[in-house]
Amino acid sequence: MSAAVCGRRGKWVVLVIWLLLAAGAGMLGGRLEEVQSNDPASFLPDGAESTVVQEAQRRSAAGNQVPAIVVYQGRPVAEAAADAERFAEVEGVAGRVSPPVPAPGAEAVQVVVPLDGSDYGALTAAVDRIREITGDRAYVTGPAGQSADTIEVFGSIDATLLAATSAVVVLVLLLTYRSPLLWLIPFLSAGVALACSRAGNYLLAEYAGLTVNGQSGGILLVLVFGIATDYALLLVARYREELALHEDRHEAMASALRRATPAIAASAATVAAGLCCLLVAEQNATRGLGPVCAVGVACALAAMLTLLPALLVIVPRGVFWPRVPVYGGAAETGSRLWDRIGRVIARRPRITWLGTAAALGGLALTLTAATVGPLADADAYRAEPESVRGAQVLDRYFGTGQEGSLVVLAPEGEAERIAAAVAADPGVERIGDRGAGGRPGGADGRPDDAGERPDGGAQAVDGRVLLRGTLKDAPDSRAAYETVERLREIPGATVGGTAAVNLDGTLASERDLRVVVPLILGVILVILVVLLRALVAPLLLMATVVLSFAAALGVSGLIFTELFGFAAVDTGVPLLAFVFLVAVGVDYNIFLITRVREEAAVRGTREAALVGLSATGGVITSAGVVLAATFAVLGVLPLVVLAELGFVVAFGVLLDTFVVRSVLLTALTLDVGRWMWWPDRRLTRERADGSGGVAVAETARSAAVRRG
């Protein structure tokens, strides 16, 4: 394969193929936003009661109505009435606009505008038009306003992240290579990988039903740039070594590919396998994120093992200027800094790993003090969008109940019984009739002329009826969740609405964490056992990475609440952070441990541990900084959940790079010694002098490495 990729003719064939792929991918990838599902329904777990209710709403005669609530503060009722007449003419309005409803004291007025929720693109356009009509005189909130704000945020993610991530990657590559030209080759290769991954995900979303949204698209961008750059750093470092041993660039790259491909391929397989474990998640968005990012990892792997080598051998070795590797010179195989660190660790390896593990364990204990839970709508944004400000005004003058917070699906013959049982619950403000505070009765905004009917004028859907109502508490509150749980105990009732949507999302996140985490650990452990042909080393690797994750999440949780002022760590963050940190944490350990294993065959495990640390320390540190910096870019987005995810992953990657891999794993390898490779007899049988029993005489490569 290496000859085909970087041969004298093969390199041009590879380049032409990638140019054609890039051209096609650019056109298809640009359409990814067209197939993104950023509406709240795309995040719901399949089979949840709120999902069943939403599907019934879509099939109902009135369609899937989503109320937009326009709330005026300190404005006359006549002004709201005039606006209401204009709202009725807005395209996308799915029913009669309610008359203005003043709050007690007439300090605020609200108007309910029912919008068609079957097309969230049209819904967003309708909300924008309503906001144009009101200007700065009112706030547009309610489920429709909140959905429109969320969709708008997701729609702007890609452009913001692309600019910020590109700037970060270019800066880090410039600082790493200190070359005015070399950085451009990995950067362009990563860009092509991103374009191909976007095209692949567009095809899967369009023709295979893959769920893609703004969140997964943004994470895809960050992950592909970060992981592709990591692979590039590892391959370029190997190529630099080989250029000192081979006069011909093609031979040097072929040798570098042979040596680097196993670690890079194993790394990609580990990350992709961990991501594919998300396919068992209940949440649609989480389940879709797995294959979306796995496609990105596959494209990054393909580009970095074919396009990048071809480009590197096409250009002369002078591209490394001002640090051009010279044939016959000393191979740059080690870092003096990491060599010194390794020698210090080697003096007392057991004390070192025990002390490091204890320190990480102490950091992990901060998990007990961290607050993990669902974020309320007001806490989900770093800045307050209009829907959040409007909800605060609405709560202040009209109470916390909100149109659309309760929708109950009941069999036709039992509608009256279920409606009466729902109305009797202390957490329900109304079900179908005109509620307290003068709120409009029906979901279409009209005062309910059938207020005395137990079913509130409910609509029939496939032998069942929809009962629309309002909860007394805010739909993102614990009290509302408890009400939904009580209502679901009513025989025959299927409970939906915004409060049920929030509750089902929280329950699905908790279930996914319990199910997916053990699956990921098991899958990655199997991969490591196969890769290293050992049991002890994989178990130790997994233990160090899990400890690192617990420490990163615990410390980050305290920083979020105590320093950043976030309300909590969102329930979806721990699982996503675990996927990326464990997969990527093992990723860096694979880079190190495969080099140690390679050297252990001729040096013995203890000396190999020091050589491996010295040889990989610089490149893995640079790779860790790149990945941490790219994930930290998520912090520029206004969504708290993505800012939290970016911070946890960035902090965890740095912790793993500078502490776990360099200190903890090296000290463990030095202390455990040859038994790291048990039950591989080839590596566990070392001579008394500590050297390996496989190759008594060192090869010319090993001698060159030692000279370096």
PDB file of all heavy atoms in Angstrom, residues 81-108:
ATOM      1  N   ALA A  81     -53.968  44.508  20.080  1.00  0.00           N
ATOM      2  CA  ALA A  81     -55.085  44.096  19.230  1.00  0.00           C
ATOM      3  C   ALA A  81     -54.786  44.403  17.765  1.00  0.00           C
ATOM      4  O   ALA A  81     -55.102  43.603  16.868  1.00  0.00           O
ATOM      5  CB  ALA A  81     -56.361  44.792  19.675  1.00  0.00           C
ATOM      6  N   ALA A  82     -54.181  45.558  17.506  1.00  0.00           N
ATOM      7  CA  ALA A  82     -53.834  45.906  16.128  1.00  0.00           C
ATOM      8  C   ALA A  82     -52.790  44.947  15.566  1.00  0.00           C
ATOM      9  O   ALA A  82     -52.866  44.521  14.406  1.00  0.00           O
ATOM     10  CB  ALA A  82     -53.312  47.348  16.080  1.00  0.00           C
ATOM     11  N   ASP A  83     -51.818  44.592  16.413  1.00  0.00           N
ATOM     12  CA  ASP A  83     -50.806  43.632  15.961  1.00  0.00           C
ATOM     13  C   ASP A  83     -51.423  42.266  15.704  1.00  0.00           C
ATOM     14  O   ASP A  83     -51.028  41.561  14.768  1.00  0.00           O
ATOM     15  CB  ASP A  83     -49.696  43.499  17.013  1.00  0.00           C
ATOM     16  CG  ASP A  83     -48.752  44.691  17.030  1.00  0.00           C
ATOM     17  OD1 ASP A  83     -48.784  45.472  16.061  1.00  0.00           O
ATOM     18  OD2 ASP A  83     -47.995  44.839  18.006  1.00  0.00           O
ATOM     19  N   ALA A  84     -52.388  41.875  16.545  1.00  0.00           N
ATOM     20  CA  ALA A  84     -53.007  40.558  16.397  1.00  0.00           C
ATOM     21  C   ALA A  84     -53.658  40.415  15.026  1.00  0.00           C
ATOM     22  O   ALA A  84     -53.637  39.331  14.422  1.00  0.00           O
ATOM     23  CB  ALA A  84     -54.023  40.319  17.507  1.00  0.00           C
ATOM     24  N   GLU A  85     -54.257  41.498  14.510  1.00  0.00           N
ATOM     25  CA  GLU A  85     -54.867  41.449  13.181  1.00  0.00           C
ATOM     26  C   GLU A  85     -53.805  41.209  12.109  1.00  0.00           C
ATOM     27  O   GLU A  85     -54.043  40.504  11.134  1.00  0.00           O
ATOM     28  CB  GLU A  85     -55.617  42.752  12.912  1.00  0.00           C
ATOM     29  CG  GLU A  85     -56.844  42.948  13.814  1.00  0.00           C
ATOM     30  CD  GLU A  85     -57.562  44.254  13.512  1.00  0.00           C
ATOM     31  OE1 GLU A  85     -57.107  44.970  12.582  1.00  0.00           O
ATOM     32  OE2 GLU A  85     -58.560  44.563  14.190  1.00  0.00           O
ATOM     33  N   ARG A  86     -52.623  41.787  12.301  1.00  0.00           N
ATOM     34  CA  ARG A  86     -51.539  41.590  11.336  1.00  0.00           C
ATOM     35  C   ARG A  86     -50.941  40.190  11.474  1.00  0.00           C
ATOM     36  O   ARG A  86     -50.515  39.584  10.494  1.00  0.00           O
ATOM     37  CB  ARG A  86     -50.463  42.651  11.529  1.00  0.00           C
ATOM     38  CG  ARG A  86     -50.961  44.079  11.333  1.00  0.00           C
ATOM     39  CD  ARG A  86     -49.844  45.084  11.560  1.00  0.00           C
ATOM     40  NE  ARG A  86     -48.780  44.942  10.569  1.00  0.00           N
ATOM     41  CZ  ARG A  86     -47.614  45.605  10.621  1.00  0.00           C
ATOM     42  NH1 ARG A  86     -47.380  46.435  11.641  1.00  0.00           N
ATOM     43  NH2 ARG A  86     -46.704  45.436   9.696  1.00  0.00           N
ATOM     44  N   PHE A  87     -50.892  39.660  12.712  1.00  0.00           N
ATOM     45  CA  PHE A  87     -50.371  38.300  12.914  1.00  0.00           C
ATOM     46  C   PHE A  87     -51.187  37.289  12.111  1.00  0.00           C
ATOM     47  O   PHE A  87     -50.644  36.319  11.583  1.00  0.00           O
ATOM     48  CB  PHE A  87     -50.419  37.906  14.399  1.00  0.00           C
ATOM     49  CG  PHE A  87     -49.568  38.751  15.302  1.00  0.00           C
ATOM     50  CD1 PHE A  87     -49.863  38.841  16.653  1.00  0.00           C
ATOM     51  CD2 PHE A  87     -48.471  39.451  14.813  1.00  0.00           C
ATOM     52  CE1 PHE A  87     -49.083  39.607  17.500  1.00  0.00           C
ATOM     53  CE2 PHE A  87     -47.687  40.229  15.652  1.00  0.00           C
ATOM     54  CZ  PHE A  87     -48.008  40.314  17.009  1.00  0.00           C
ATOM     55  N   ALA A  88     -52.514  37.509  12.035  1.00  0.00           N
ATOM     56  CA  ALA A  88     -53.389  36.554  11.359  1.00  0.00           C
ATOM     57  C   ALA A  88     -53.049  36.423   9.878  1.00  0.00           C
ATOM     58  O   ALA A  88     -53.394  35.419   9.243  1.00  0.00           O
ATOM     59  CB  ALA A  88     -54.844  36.978  11.530  1.00  0.00           C
ATOM     60  N   GLU A  89     -52.378  37.435   9.311  1.00  0.00           N
ATOM     61  CA  GLU A  89     -52.033  37.416   7.895  1.00  0.00           C
ATOM     62  C   GLU A  89     -50.667  36.800   7.623  1.00  0.00           C
ATOM     63  O   GLU A  89     -50.270  36.646   6.470  1.00  0.00           O
ATOM     64  CB  GLU A  89     -52.067  38.849   7.345  1.00  0.00           C
ATOM     65  CG  GLU A  89     -53.433  39.516   7.488  1.00  0.00           C
ATOM     66  CD  GLU A  89     -53.385  40.992   7.117  1.00  0.00           C
ATOM     67  OE1 GLU A  89     -52.273  41.478   6.785  1.00  0.00           O
ATOM     68  OE2 GLU A  89     -54.444  41.653   7.164  1.00  0.00           O
ATOM     69  N   VAL A  90     -49.943  36.450   8.690  1.00  0.00           N
ATOM     70  CA  VAL A  90     -48.601  35.893   8.522  1.00  0.00           C
ATOM     71  C   VAL A  90     -48.697  34.477   7.965  1.00  0.00           C
ATOM     72  O   VAL A  90     -49.502  33.660   8.436  1.00  0.00           O
ATOM     73  CB  VAL A  90     -47.845  35.884   9.870  1.00  0.00           C
ATOM     74  CG1 VAL A  90     -46.524  35.124   9.743  1.00  0.00           C
ATOM     75  CG2 VAL A  90     -47.596  37.311  10.344  1.00  0.00           C
ATOM     76  N   GLU A  91     -47.886  34.175   6.967  1.00  0.00           N
ATOM     77  CA  GLU A  91     -47.867  32.830   6.405  1.00  0.00           C
ATOM     78  C   GLU A  91     -47.343  31.846   7.447  1.00  0.00           C
ATOM     79  O   GLU A  91     -46.311  32.079   8.073  1.00  0.00           O
ATOM     80  CB  GLU A  91     -46.967  32.799   5.169  1.00  0.00           C
ATOM     81  CG  GLU A  91     -46.967  31.455   4.458  1.00  0.00           C
ATOM     82  CD  GLU A  91     -46.133  31.468   3.193  1.00  0.00           C
ATOM     83  OE1 GLU A  91     -45.609  32.553   2.842  1.00  0.00           O
ATOM     84  OE2 GLU A  91     -46.005  30.403   2.559  1.00  0.00           O
ATOM     85  N   GLY A  92     -48.046  30.737   7.633  1.00  0.00           N
ATOM     86  CA  GLY A  92     -47.643  29.743   8.624  1.00  0.00           C
ATOM     87  C   GLY A  92     -48.527  29.734   9.848  1.00  0.00           C
ATOM     88  O   GLY A  92     -48.404  28.834  10.692  1.00  0.00           O
ATOM     89  N   VAL A  93     -49.433  30.711   9.979  1.00  0.00           N
ATOM     90  CA  VAL A  93     -50.381  30.708  11.090  1.00  0.00           C
ATOM     91  C   VAL A  93     -51.393  29.605  10.844  1.00  0.00           C
ATOM     92  O   VAL A  93     -51.991  29.514   9.767  1.00  0.00           O
ATOM     93  CB  VAL A  93     -51.073  32.073  11.243  1.00  0.00           C
ATOM     94  CG1 VAL A  93     -52.183  31.999  12.282  1.00  0.00           C
ATOM     95  CG2 VAL A  93     -50.051  33.130  11.644  1.00  0.00           C
ATOM     96  N   ALA A  94     -51.596  28.733  11.847  1.00  0.00           N
ATOM     97  CA  ALA A  94     -52.382  27.514  11.644  1.00  0.00           C
ATOM     98  C   ALA A  94     -53.727  27.544  12.348  1.00  0.00           C
ATOM     99  O   ALA A  94     -54.351  26.508  12.529  1.00  0.00           O
ATOM    100  CB  ALA A  94     -51.576  26.307  12.130  1.00  0.00           C
ATOM    101  N   GLY A  95     -54.213  28.694  12.741  1.00  0.00           N
ATOM    102  CA  GLY A  95     -55.499  28.779  13.425  1.00  0.00           C
ATOM    103  C   GLY A  95     -55.807  30.229  13.747  1.00  0.00           C
ATOM    104  O   GLY A  95     -55.102  31.148  13.320  1.00  0.00           O
ATOM    105  N   ARG A  96     -56.875  30.444  14.514  1.00  0.00           N
ATOM    106  CA  ARG A  96     -57.262  31.810  14.865  1.00  0.00           C
ATOM    107  C   ARG A  96     -56.339  32.360  15.934  1.00  0.00           C
ATOM    108  O   ARG A  96     -56.041  31.715  16.939  1.00  0.00           O
ATOM    109  CB  ARG A  96     -58.704  31.828  15.359  1.00  0.00           C
ATOM    110  CG  ARG A  96     -59.733  31.548  14.257  1.00  0.00           C
ATOM    111  CD  ARG A  96     -61.136  31.617  14.801  1.00  0.00           C
ATOM    112  NE  ARG A  96     -61.414  32.899  15.422  1.00  0.00           N
ATOM    113  CZ  ARG A  96     -62.525  33.190  16.077  1.00  0.00           C
ATOM    114  NH1 ARG A  96     -63.464  32.260  16.199  1.00  0.00           N
ATOM    115  NH2 ARG A  96     -62.704  34.379  16.621  1.00  0.00           N
ATOM    116  N   VAL A  97     -55.880  33.586  15.701  1.00  0.00           N
ATOM    117  CA  VAL A  97     -55.047  34.282  16.683  1.00  0.00           C
ATOM    118  C   VAL A  97     -55.941  34.724  17.833  1.00  0.00           C
ATOM    119  O   VAL A  97     -57.048  35.239  17.624  1.00  0.00           O
ATOM    120  CB  VAL A  97     -54.351  35.497  16.042  1.00  0.00           C
ATOM    121  CG1 VAL A  97     -53.536  36.270  17.079  1.00  0.00           C
ATOM    122  CG2 VAL A  97     -53.462  35.044  14.887  1.00  0.00           C
ATOM    123  N   SER A  98     -55.468  34.538  19.060  1.00  0.00           N
ATOM    124  CA  SER A  98     -56.295  34.888  20.215  1.00  0.00           C
ATOM    125  C   SER A  98     -56.419  36.401  20.343  1.00  0.00           C
ATOM    126  O   SER A  98     -55.540  37.153  19.905  1.00  0.00           O
ATOM    127  CB  SER A  98     -55.655  34.337  21.488  1.00  0.00           C
ATOM    128  OG  SER A  98     -54.561  35.145  21.895  1.00  0.00           O
ATOM    129  N   PRO A  99     -57.480  36.883  20.934  1.00  0.00           N
ATOM    130  CA  PRO A  99     -57.555  38.310  21.264  1.00  0.00           C
ATOM    131  C   PRO A  99     -56.553  38.609  22.380  1.00  0.00           C
ATOM    132  O   PRO A  99     -56.092  37.707  23.084  1.00  0.00           O
ATOM    133  CB  PRO A  99     -58.998  38.476  21.749  1.00  0.00           C
ATOM    134  CG  PRO A  99     -59.386  37.129  22.241  1.00  0.00           C
ATOM    135  CD  PRO A  99     -58.689  36.146  21.359  1.00  0.00           C
ATOM    136  N   PRO A 100     -56.180  39.869  22.537  1.00  0.00           N
ATOM    137  CA  PRO A 100     -55.241  40.225  23.603  1.00  0.00           C
ATOM    138  C   PRO A 100     -55.801  39.862  24.975  1.00  0.00           C
ATOM    139  O   PRO A 100     -56.981  40.088  25.258  1.00  0.00           O
ATOM    140  CB  PRO A 100     -55.072  41.731  23.448  1.00  0.00           C
ATOM    141  CG  PRO A 100     -55.493  42.031  22.051  1.00  0.00           C
ATOM    142  CD  PRO A 100     -56.557  41.046  21.720  1.00  0.00           C
ATOM    143  N   VAL A 101     -54.964  39.303  25.813  1.00  0.00           N
ATOM    144  CA  VAL A 101     -55.353  38.934  27.175  1.00  0.00           C
ATOM    145  C   VAL A 101     -54.482  39.737  28.136  1.00  0.00           C
ATOM    146  O   VAL A 101     -53.280  39.512  28.228  1.00  0.00           O
ATOM    147  CB  VAL A 101     -55.175  37.427  27.430  1.00  0.00           C
ATOM    148  CG1 VAL A 101     -55.557  37.075  28.865  1.00  0.00           C
ATOM    149  CG2 VAL A 101     -55.984  36.614  26.436  1.00  0.00           C
ATOM    150  N   PRO A 102     -55.066  40.712  28.845  1.00  0.00           N
ATOM    151  CA  PRO A 102     -54.260  41.511  29.775  1.00  0.00           C
ATOM    152  C   PRO A 102     -54.018  40.746  31.073  1.00  0.00           C
ATOM    153  O   PRO A 102     -54.836  39.930  31.505  1.00  0.00           O
ATOM    154  CB  PRO A 102     -55.125  42.747  30.020  1.00  0.00           C
ATOM    155  CG  PRO A 102     -56.518  42.269  29.783  1.00  0.00           C
ATOM    156  CD  PRO A 102     -56.448  41.205  28.738  1.00  0.00           C
ATOM    157  N   ALA A 103     -52.875  41.026  31.686  1.00  0.00           N
ATOM    158  CA  ALA A 103     -52.572  40.461  32.997  1.00  0.00           C
ATOM    159  C   ALA A 103     -53.307  41.259  34.061  1.00  0.00           C
ATOM    160  O   ALA A 103     -53.756  42.397  33.809  1.00  0.00           O
ATOM    161  CB  ALA A 103     -51.066  40.522  33.247  1.00  0.00           C
ATOM    162  N   PRO A 104     -53.482  40.697  35.258  1.00  0.00           N
ATOM    163  CA  PRO A 104     -54.066  41.478  36.349  1.00  0.00           C
ATOM    164  C   PRO A 104     -53.284  42.778  36.552  1.00  0.00           C
ATOM    165  O   PRO A 104     -52.055  42.771  36.644  1.00  0.00           O
ATOM    166  CB  PRO A 104     -53.923  40.552  37.558  1.00  0.00           C
ATOM    167  CG  PRO A 104     -53.907  39.171  36.964  1.00  0.00           C
ATOM    168  CD  PRO A 104     -53.184  39.311  35.657  1.00  0.00           C
ATOM    169  N   GLY A 105     -54.002  43.895  36.548  1.00  0.00           N
ATOM    170  CA  GLY A 105     -53.337  45.189  36.640  1.00  0.00           C
ATOM    171  C   GLY A 105     -53.000  45.772  35.295  1.00  0.00           C
ATOM    172  O   GLY A 105     -52.555  46.924  35.203  1.00  0.00           O
ATOM    173  N   ALA A 106     -53.176  44.978  34.230  1.00  0.00           N
ATOM    174  CA  ALA A 106     -52.971  45.442  32.848  1.00  0.00           C
ATOM    175  C   ALA A 106     -51.563  45.963  32.590  1.00  0.00           C
ATOM    176  O   ALA A 106     -51.347  46.782  31.707  1.00  0.00           O
ATOM    177  CB  ALA A 106     -54.003  46.516  32.484  1.00  0.00           C
ATOM    178  N   GLU A 107     -50.567  45.470  33.357  1.00  0.00           N
ATOM    179  CA  GLU A 107     -49.184  45.891  33.115  1.00  0.00           C
ATOM    180  C   GLU A 107     -48.550  45.117  31.971  1.00  0.00           C
ATOM    181  O   GLU A 107     -47.483  45.478  31.484  1.00  0.00           O
ATOM    182  CB  GLU A 107     -48.355  45.707  34.391  1.00  0.00           C
ATOM    183  CG  GLU A 107     -48.804  46.612  35.535  1.00  0.00           C
ATOM    184  CD  GLU A 107     -47.887  46.463  36.735  1.00  0.00           C
ATOM    185  OE1 GLU A 107     -46.694  46.173  36.528  1.00  0.00           O
ATOM    186  OE2 GLU A 107     -48.362  46.625  37.864  1.00  0.00           O
ATOM    187  N   ALA A 108     -49.171  44.026  31.554  1.00  0.00           N
ATOM    188  CA  ALA A 108     -48.673  43.230  30.440  1.00  0.00           C
ATOM    189  C   ALA A 108     -49.860  42.654  29.691  1.00  0.00           C
ATOM    190  O   ALA A 108     -50.959  42.503  30.236  1.00  0.00           O
ATOM    191  CB  ALA A 108     -47.754  42.118  30.929  1.00  0.00           C
TER     192      ALA A 108
END
